[in-house]
Amino acid sequence: MAATFKALGGNDTTTTRTLLHEAIPLTGTIVSGTYFLESSDTQTNIKRYGHGMWESVYDYPYLSSSANHIFDLTIGYSAQSNLSGAANMQNAKKINIYNQMAQVLVGFDENGLVRRFDQDGDHSGGNKINEAFFINYARLLTKDEIKKGSYNITFYTAGTKQVPTTPVTFADHGAATTYKTNSPAGDYSILYTSSATPRADGTSGKGLLYYQAGVAVLTSSIFLNNPFGPDNQYDKQFSSVRACMTGSLITSSCEALRNLWRDNNFSNTTELNSTVYFCRANHNEFNYSSNPTYLSSSKLVVKNVSDDAPVSYVTTIGLYADDNELVAVAKVSEPLKKDPTNELTLRVRLDY
Amino acid sequence: MPLYRFKSNDVFYNRVKVNPKQSFLVYSGSTVLNNFANESGSHTSYIQNVSGSGHVSLYELNIDRSSDQLIYPFVYKDSNRIGFKTVGTGSFNSDFQFGDIISSSYPLSASISKLLYPPNHSSGRITALKNTLNFYTNLSPAYQFDSSLGNKATQKLGLLSIPSILYGSSVKKGTVDMKFYISGTLVGQLQDERQNGELIQVGPSGSSGTGSIAGVVLYNEGFLVLTGSWDLTAAGTRFAPSHSETYSTGSESPQWLYFAQSISGTITAPSSSFELSYEGTDYVQTLTMLAHAAKGELNHSNNPTYVKHDANRVYYTTGTYGYGEPRSTDIKNTVSSSFSGHTASFAKVTYISEVGIYDENRNLIGLAKLAKPVKKTQERDYTFKLKLDI
């Protein structure tokens, strides 16, 4: 152990930030079909609640301790939507869900009223997303935020229940460099069906993706001209997204959406903050050791001839607080030889 | 929303010491951790996507996923020069350009492992433990690397390694328990009953070698060094006649240094099974903060719903030369009357739903939410206890 301390100067310390990502694939086999229990006609990885306002999707039957919650799924529409009607099933709940999501993700206007989801995100008018599916991803998957420009989700939009066809992919094209910042919930961008330049009138958006909140908002109009319904209604003539959102339970619409889910991929981001300490041993420093094994019979064991230069082996760096309390220890993988002919700069990184 | 400064008695740190118990059952290439069954999934033979049920999976993310659908981590190579441990320095420097993606894989798993060293092995791995073993000689002479009890550099021994994720800071002294079964019959049991690292055979009664030291435990490092080489089914003891099967190269009698020898499956030892249990030690640092809501304070809210609703209300006026808000706005009286048709006397009532923690620069750095808002009147005071694991 060194008997002396060396103070770290302003040029010896710096902070860095590293972004760690994880690629998350969520295929249709996870969200529907795989864990179907025929005897009770239920999906064992889908948790439903007595209030019926949303359902939770797990990656494995949720009664297993191994299961991970991956997202919550729900629908809602604005009170100003054409779908809103007192005769609808769970009408108030669908409006409340829309308002709840909107006030958190879009915020309030200057009159204290909840803003609606805006198709182009500028809040200045234009088209609103009045009827929407909400996918609230678990923090386990999104970590600090969804990586901008990495999100895509694909739904089947035609065909039958047995043979769905016409997959359409929605993605946050261009969001790595261009995204919106006018949400109280953080950054978001618009989901498009292709990477082509969005239409100038702002009507090509199909949904919104909130990166830090981990929420995807998809307009229901993406299924406007296609069969849409839960298992027991899918192929029937009246099964449309409009009929399903008004005449069925929220969970029925969620089930219908899951049945059309083909694929979903995104990456998450975790910020790793580090402090880097550059510990410098100059040529005339740290060439001796107070280690008990450094001396034998009052002679340096690493020297053979008395006028040889002193030499030591650096194995450990201790970081001390102002009051000389040892607060951290860094070890090198193998001892480094230090003598007056060389200088060492050891880079100690502390992650937190 | 007012800000209050924590006083010296409002913030304190605790350390919770926990001792999670772990148990392993080893039999013929199979290891079971904490009696967790090997659950098969729809897409994988084992839902946790690790080698077997004896492994612990870091993050436990890839549950029942096929091999082409696994979640995996990646970073971009940049000036921070941070990569994954699986990418060596040479590969990091030569195989990746700045901006390239460096990826790794999940799940990361860990389990116990066993190595058997023959006589005169001179293994570097054992020699690396020399200083550590000698350091603990004050606990027991059995730790001594080279003594009259044997030279660990040359004697036949078994080394059972426990990864730190499975014990934390250290193995708790006095909790190590090892059982050796032959055809389901317990023929030997080791415990560190003296809590000094010595693994002493404590049973079963009448067994061969009871009371002898069969090895030592390195509590802080997670190693069990096994040197016991007596026949647990020796003639003249309760479990005679002597049993033999292949534990390393030939037909051998059951000995402690063969404990968990069948863990890899290379050796099957079909009559032998092994059980290991211990308690780890881990520390959880906890920050506790006491936030006080005193009487007569926190009785006003800036929430828009705190004031009486009025469809004709003018929230603000703006013009070329100014901006104005109404001089007064009625607060909604939420006090309920005990009498029908009467309005109760006005009282200032708020509902506290969350407590924010700010740093010295007034940046919001933490938020504690209540399960249900609590009613705050002028006469009531509250203390909210906020705990944060750090």
Side-chain angles (χ1 to χ4, degrees):
Chain A
M1 191 187 108
T4 57
F5 299 105
K6 187 169 182 184
L8 291 165
N11 291 330
D12 298 329
T13 307
T14 187
T15 57
T16 64
R17 194 185 67 161
T18 305
L19 300 180
L20 172 68
H21 306 287
E22 289 171 330
I24 314 284
L26 296 173
T27 59
T29 56
I30 293 176
V31 301
S32 69
T34 298
Y35 304 107
F36 180 70
L37 192 63
E38 204 163 351
S39 59
S40 60
D41 193 23
T42 55
Q43 302 261 359
T44 54
N45 67 321
I46 309 298
K47 186 190 265 187
R48 289 183 169 171
Y49 304 90
H51 53 66
M53 296 176 76
W54 70 83
E55 62 181 27
S56 299
V57 179
Y58 290 74
D59 59 0
Y60 195 65
Y62 61 83
L63 290 178
S64 167
S65 61
S66 299
N68 294 308
H69 176 217
I70 51 177
F71 61 83
D72 288 331
L73 197 56
T74 188
I75 65 152
Y77 47 68
S78 163
Q80 297 166 62
S81 162
N82 290 333
L83 299 191
S84 176
N88 292 349
M89 289 188 80
Q90 295 184 309
N91 185 57
K93 287 183 175 179
K94 289 169 183 172
I95 294 172
N96 287 343
I97 285 172
Y98 183 94
N99 288 337
Q100 173 70 31
M101 300 299 291
Q103 67 177 310
V104 172
L105 298 172
V106 194
F108 297 84
D109 65 12
E110 61 276 14
N111 294 318
L113 302 174
V114 177
R115 292 184 197 272
R116 287 179 286 161
F117 290 99
D118 199 284
Q119 191 179 26
D120 59 5
D122 63 3
H123 301 329
S124 63
N127 293 335
K128 303 294 178 187
I129 299 175
N130 283 324
E131 307 86 18
F133 298 100
F134 301 103
I135 308 169
N136 296 14
Y137 292 97
R139 186 64 66 185
L140 177 78
L141 297 188
T142 61
K143 300 287 173 64
D144 288 349
E145 66 174 0
I146 295 171
K147 182 173 180 288
K148 295 181 180 79
S150 72
Y151 186 91
N152 65 70
I153 188 166
T154 306
F155 291 103
Y156 292 107
T157 57
T160 63
K161 179 187 167 188
Q162 287 75 21
V163 188
T165 59
T166 322
V168 177
T169 299
F170 308 93
D172 59 339
H173 296 292
T177 52
T178 306
Y179 52 87
K180 304 280 182 183
T181 57
N182 58 349
S183 162
D187 307 333
Y188 73 101
S189 68
I190 299 164
L191 297 171
Y192 300 104
T193 51
S194 77
S195 59
T197 306
R199 282 208 292 269
D201 61 2
T203 57
S204 50
K206 300 298 180 185
L208 306 168
L209 179 67
Y210 293 84
Y211 294 105
Q212 287 85 29
V215 179
V217 180
L218 289 163
T219 174
S220 66
S221 64
I222 58 178
F223 301 110
L224 197 58
N225 301 313
N226 308 108
F228 188 91
D231 280 343
N232 58 353
Q233 294 181 7
Y234 185 83
D235 293 328
K236 294 180 182 174
Q237 196 175 3
F238 57 84
S239 68
S240 67
V241 68
R242 185 184 183 92
C244 192
M245 290 186 81
T246 55
S248 302
L249 297 171
I250 291 171
T251 49
S252 296
S253 296
C254 295
E255 181 184 341
L257 186 74
R258 284 190 291 103
N259 288 340
L260 295 170
W261 185 300
R262 183 193 185 198
D263 204 5
N264 180 202
N265 292 282
F266 62 89
S267 299
N268 66 28
T269 301
T270 306
E271 287 185 10
L272 300 175
N273 293 294
S274 310
T275 300
V276 179
Y277 301 95
F278 293 95
C279 302
R280 306 180 204 279
N282 293 330
H283 68 96
N284 56 351
E285 295 173 326
F286 303 105
N287 296 319
Y288 288 93
S289 170
S290 54
N291 193 313
T293 60
Y294 194 64
L295 295 177
S296 177
S297 304
S298 299
K299 293 181 180 176
L300 303 187
V301 295
V302 291
K303 286 174 61 172
N304 296 322
V305 182
S306 61
D307 56 358
D308 277 353
V311 63
S312 68
Y313 289 87
V314 179
T315 60
T316 308
I317 298 167
L319 296 177
Y320 289 79
D322 293 341
D323 53 358
N324 285 354
E325 287 285 342
L326 180 63
V327 291
V329 171
K331 300 242 180 190
V332 293
S333 58
E334 59 185 34
L336 300 171
K337 187 177 182 180
K338 178 74 186 75
D339 60 41
T341 64
N342 64 6
E343 293 189 345
L344 298 176
T345 298
L346 295 163
R347 186 172 176 270
V348 180
R349 198 182 83 226
L350 188 65
D351 293 341
Y352 47 89
Chain B
M1 180 192 62
L3 294 173
Y4 296 91
R5 189 179 293 276
F6 284 119
K7 296 185 173 65
S8 58
N9 289 332
D10 293 335
V11 179
F12 49 93
Y13 298 88
N14 281 329
R15 192 177 74 159
V16 180
K17 186 178 180 182
V18 293
N19 297 114
K21 185 175 181 179
Q22 308 282 3
S23 70
F24 292 88
L25 178 68
V26 178
Y27 174 69
S28 194
S30 299
T31 308
V32 177
L33 171 61
N34 295 330
N35 295 322
F36 196 81
N38 195 351
E39 200 173 344
S40 63
S42 300
H43 304 295
T44 55
S45 56
Y46 181 47
I47 59 166
Q48 293 199 320
N49 261 309
V50 291
S51 306
S53 56
H55 287 70
V56 63
S57 168
L58 186 68
Y59 307 138
E60 295 188 1
L61 276 176
N62 287 307
I63 300 297
D64 196 17
R65 284 171 178 263
S66 55
S67 58
D68 60 341
Q69 293 294 329
L70 296 178
I71 296 171
Y72 65 89
F74 64 92
V75 294
Y76 291 94
K77 180 176 175 178
D78 61 15
S79 59
N80 289 325
R81 298 182 58 78
I82 291 178
F84 294 101
K85 199 174 181 180
T86 48
V87 179
T89 307
S91 175
F92 183 88
N93 288 333
S94 58
D95 296 345
F96 299 96
Q97 301 297 314
F98 283 92
D100 282 359
I101 288 176
I102 304 172
S103 60
S104 182
S105 63
Y106 288 154
L108 304 173
S109 65
S111 185
I112 58 171
S113 60
K114 168 73 191 301
L115 287 172
L116 180 69
Y117 295 93
N120 302 312
H121 53 82
S122 299
S123 164
R125 192 174 297 211
I126 299 298
T127 309
L129 292 174
K130 181 178 180 179
N131 284 350
T132 309
L133 285 162
N134 286 336
F135 179 75
Y136 294 115
T137 306
N138 59 336
L139 292 178
S140 164
Y143 278 107
Q144 188 81 38
F145 193 77
D146 184 7
S147 71
S148 60
L149 299 172
N151 182 350
K152 293 182 177 58
T154 56
Q155 73 182 123
K156 190 176 182 181
L157 57 79
L159 182 70
L160 196 67
S161 308
I162 307 172
S164 63
I165 194 172
L166 287 164
Y167 66 84
S169 298
S170 66
V171 176
K172 187 182 179 187
K173 290 179 178 175
T175 63
V176 180
D177 189 9
M178 303 165 71
K179 292 173 180 164
F180 200 131
Y181 296 92
I182 298 293
S183 301
T185 302
L186 180 67
V187 297
Q189 182 176 12
L190 291 184
Q191 286 181 346
D192 58 336
E193 57 178 7
R194 294 178 188 158
Q195 301 190 21
N196 63 349
E198 294 173 348
L199 287 166
I200 300 169
Q201 187 166 326
V202 296
S205 62
S207 62
S208 168
T210 298
S212 303
I213 297 172
V216 291
V217 186
L218 292 173
Y219 292 110
N220 297 319
E221 294 79 8
F223 290 108
L224 279 68
V225 183
L226 299 169
T227 52
S229 57
W230 58 88
D231 182 0
L232 291 168
T233 58
T237 63
R238 181 180 159 192
F239 300 104
S242 182
H243 173 80
S244 66
E245 60 182 319
T246 303
Y247 291 106
S248 59
T249 54
S251 181
E252 292 117 345
S253 58
Q255 303 170 17
W256 280 115
L257 49 81
Y258 297 136
F259 184 87
Q261 194 59 29
S262 59
I263 194 167
S264 67
T266 311
I267 301 294
T268 55
S271 298
S272 301
S273 55
F274 314 93
E275 207 176 321
L276 166 68
S277 68
Y278 60 87
E279 290 179 20
T281 304
D282 225 339
Y283 299 97
V284 181
Q285 274 77 26
T286 306
L287 169 65
T288 305
M289 293 166 283
L290 302 177
H292 306 287
K295 289 178 183 176
E297 296 181 1
L298 296 171
N299 293 310
H300 186 82
S301 170
N302 292 323
N303 193 314
T305 60
Y306 189 66
V307 294
K308 194 178 287 184
H309 176 70
D310 181 357
N312 299 319
R313 179 183 167 200
V314 177
Y315 287 83
Y316 64 91
T317 55
T318 58
T320 309
Y321 302 108
Y323 169 88
E325 290 185 351
R327 294 181 62 82
S328 63
T329 306
D330 290 341
I331 295 172
K332 185 174 176 59
N333 185 18
T334 57
V335 181
S336 107
S337 170
S338 305
F339 304 101
S340 174
H342 289 267
T343 305
S345 302
F346 175 78
K348 292 194 78 173
V349 176
T350 56
Y351 289 85
I352 298 174
S353 58
E354 58 191 35
V355 181
I357 309 296
Y358 291 77
D359 67 7
E360 62 273 19
N361 299 317
R362 299 196 173 185
N363 295 314
L364 180 64
I365 55 173
L367 199 59
K369 296 225 178 198
L370 287 103
K372 281 197 284 191
V374 295
K375 186 178 180 179
K376 174 79 175 69
T377 62
Q378 302 263 31
E379 299 78 27
R380 293 181 182 173
D381 57 348
Y382 290 103
T383 295
F384 299 97
K385 186 179 179 186
L386 284 59
K387 286 180 78 174
L388 186 69
D389 287 351
I390 50 179

